[in-house]
mmCIF file of all heavy atoms in Angstrom:
data_model
loop_
_atom_site.group_PDB
_atom_site.id
_atom_site.type_symbol
_atom_site.label_atom_id
_atom_site.label_comp_id
_atom_site.label_asym_id
_atom_site.label_seq_id
_atom_site.Cartn_x
_atom_site.Cartn_y
_atom_site.Cartn_z
ATOM 1 N N GLY A 127 134.099 108.036 133.803
ATOM 2 C CA GLY A 127 135.423 107.459 133.633
ATOM 3 C C GLY A 127 136.349 107.639 134.818
ATOM 4 O O GLY A 127 137.425 107.024 134.862
ATOM 5 N N ALA A 128 135.951 108.487 135.778
ATOM 6 C CA ALA A 128 136.795 108.686 136.953
ATOM 7 C C ALA A 128 136.678 107.481 137.890
ATOM 8 O O ALA A 128 135.652 106.797 137.934
ATOM 9 C CB ALA A 128 136.384 109.962 137.682
ATOM 10 N N ASP A 129 137.713 107.256 138.670
ATOM 11 C CA ASP A 129 137.681 106.170 139.647
ATOM 12 C C ASP A 129 137.092 106.648 140.973
ATOM 13 O O ASP A 129 137.050 107.845 141.263
ATOM 14 C CB ASP A 129 139.094 105.623 139.855
ATOM 15 C CG ASP A 129 139.621 104.927 138.612
ATOM 16 O OD1 ASP A 129 138.785 104.475 137.786
ATOM 17 O OD2 ASP A 129 140.848 104.859 138.434
ATOM 18 N N TRP A 130 136.619 105.676 141.747
ATOM 19 C CA TRP A 130 135.937 105.942 143.015
ATOM 20 C C TRP A 130 136.689 105.283 144.168
ATOM 21 O O TRP A 130 137.409 104.298 143.988
ATOM 22 C CB TRP A 130 134.521 105.359 142.978
ATOM 23 C CG TRP A 130 133.531 106.106 142.142
ATOM 24 C CD1 TRP A 130 133.587 106.340 140.799
ATOM 25 C CD2 TRP A 130 132.324 106.698 142.599
ATOM 26 N NE1 TRP A 130 132.491 107.047 140.402
ATOM 27 C CE2 TRP A 130 131.686 107.281 141.482
ATOM 28 C CE3 TRP A 130 131.695 106.791 143.849
ATOM 29 C CZ2 TRP A 130 130.460 107.951 141.585
ATOM 30 C CZ3 TRP A 130 130.473 107.456 143.950
ATOM 31 C CH2 TRP A 130 129.882 108.031 142.821
ATOM 32 N N LEU A 131 136.446 105.825 145.359
ATOM 33 C CA LEU A 131 136.856 105.165 146.602
ATOM 34 C C LEU A 131 135.628 105.022 147.479
ATOM 35 O O LEU A 131 134.927 106.004 147.744
ATOM 36 C CB LEU A 131 137.928 105.983 147.328
ATOM 37 C CG LEU A 131 138.312 105.460 148.724
ATOM 38 C CD1 LEU A 131 138.912 104.064 148.647
ATOM 39 C CD2 LEU A 131 139.282 106.426 149.412
ATOM 40 N N MET A 132 135.357 103.795 147.907
ATOM 41 C CA MET A 132 134.256 103.532 148.820
ATOM 42 C C MET A 132 134.849 103.219 150.192
ATOM 43 O O MET A 132 135.606 102.254 150.336
ATOM 44 C CB MET A 132 133.423 102.350 148.305
ATOM 45 C CG MET A 132 132.148 102.078 149.093
ATOM 46 S SD MET A 132 132.390 101.152 150.618
ATOM 47 C CE MET A 132 130.849 100.324 150.791
ATOM 48 N N VAL A 133 134.530 104.045 151.189
ATOM 49 C CA VAL A 133 135.001 103.836 152.558
ATOM 50 C C VAL A 133 133.775 103.666 153.434
ATOM 51 O O VAL A 133 133.086 104.630 153.776
ATOM 52 C CB VAL A 133 135.837 105.032 153.059
ATOM 53 C CG1 VAL A 133 136.446 104.703 154.418
ATOM 54 C CG2 VAL A 133 136.914 105.404 152.067
ATOM 55 N N GLY A 134 133.454 102.429 153.772
ATOM 56 C CA GLY A 134 132.242 102.201 154.537
ATOM 57 C C GLY A 134 131.936 100.727 154.668
ATOM 58 O O GLY A 134 132.771 99.874 154.337
ATOM 59 N N PRO A 135 130.737 100.418 155.166
ATOM 60 C CA PRO A 135 130.374 99.027 155.422
ATOM 61 C C PRO A 135 130.213 98.231 154.130
ATOM 62 O O PRO A 135 129.505 98.655 153.219
ATOM 63 C CB PRO A 135 129.032 99.137 156.155
ATOM 64 C CG PRO A 135 128.930 100.556 156.592
ATOM 65 C CD PRO A 135 129.690 101.354 155.591
ATOM 66 N N SER A 136 130.895 97.107 154.042
ATOM 67 C CA SER A 136 130.655 96.199 152.913
ATOM 68 C C SER A 136 129.998 94.947 153.486
ATOM 69 O O SER A 136 128.853 95.008 153.912
ATOM 70 C CB SER A 136 131.961 95.906 152.169
ATOM 71 O OG SER A 136 132.937 95.362 153.025
ATOM 72 N N GLY A 137 130.736 93.836 153.586
ATOM 73 C CA GLY A 137 130.184 92.634 154.212
ATOM 74 C C GLY A 137 128.809 92.261 153.687
ATOM 75 O O GLY A 137 128.618 92.156 152.465
ATOM 76 N N PRO A 138 127.829 92.106 154.578
ATOM 77 C CA PRO A 138 126.507 91.638 154.130
ATOM 78 C C PRO A 138 125.624 92.751 153.559
ATOM 79 O O PRO A 138 124.467 92.494 153.245
ATOM 80 C CB PRO A 138 125.902 91.085 155.415
ATOM 81 C CG PRO A 138 126.504 91.911 156.508
ATOM 82 C CD PRO A 138 127.908 92.209 156.045
ATOM 83 N N ARG A 139 126.136 93.956 153.443
ATOM 84 C CA ARG A 139 125.295 95.068 153.013
ATOM 85 C C ARG A 139 125.365 95.273 151.507
ATOM 86 O O ARG A 139 126.360 94.964 150.873
ATOM 87 C CB ARG A 139 125.699 96.346 153.745
ATOM 88 C CG ARG A 139 125.368 96.259 155.212
ATOM 89 C CD ARG A 139 126.117 97.266 156.047
ATOM 90 N NE ARG A 139 125.989 96.898 157.431
ATOM 91 C CZ ARG A 139 126.717 95.948 158.040
ATOM 92 N NH1 ARG A 139 127.642 95.311 157.351
ATOM 93 N NH2 ARG A 139 126.506 95.635 159.283
ATOM 94 N N ARG A 140 124.298 95.868 150.989
ATOM 95 C CA ARG A 140 124.265 96.048 149.540
ATOM 96 C C ARG A 140 125.304 97.059 149.070
ATOM 97 O O ARG A 140 125.681 97.065 147.898
ATOM 98 C CB ARG A 140 122.865 96.418 149.058
ATOM 99 C CG ARG A 140 122.323 97.713 149.570
ATOM 100 C CD ARG A 140 120.876 97.887 149.148
ATOM 101 N NE ARG A 140 120.763 98.698 147.956
ATOM 102 C CZ ARG A 140 119.757 98.596 147.091
ATOM 103 N NH1 ARG A 140 118.814 97.697 147.269
ATOM 104 N NH2 ARG A 140 119.688 99.392 146.051
ATOM 105 N N LEU A 141 125.764 97.916 149.977
ATOM 106 C CA LEU A 141 126.787 98.885 149.581
ATOM 107 C C LEU A 141 128.011 98.205 148.981
ATOM 108 O O LEU A 141 128.711 98.782 148.156
ATOM 109 C CB LEU A 141 127.208 99.720 150.791
ATOM 110 C CG LEU A 141 126.273 100.864 151.205
ATOM 111 C CD1 LEU A 141 126.721 101.436 152.539
ATOM 112 C CD2 LEU A 141 126.240 101.947 150.132
ATOM 113 N N ARG A 142 128.295 96.980 149.438
ATOM 114 C CA ARG A 142 129.517 96.315 148.975
ATOM 115 C C ARG A 142 129.520 96.137 147.471
ATOM 116 O O ARG A 142 130.566 96.162 146.829
ATOM 117 C CB ARG A 142 129.669 94.955 149.667
ATOM 118 C CG ARG A 142 128.855 93.823 149.077
ATOM 119 C CD ARG A 142 129.165 92.487 149.750
ATOM 120 N NE ARG A 142 128.626 91.360 149.021
ATOM 121 C CZ ARG A 142 127.481 90.754 149.325
ATOM 122 N NH1 ARG A 142 126.756 91.200 150.347
ATOM 123 N NH2 ARG A 142 127.060 89.724 148.628
#
Side-chain angles (χ1 to χ4, degrees):
D129 293 336
W130 286 61
L131 173 62
M132 187 279 208
V133 187
S136 57
R139 292 162 194 80
R140 63 186 263 153
L141 281 171
R142 81 175 193 262

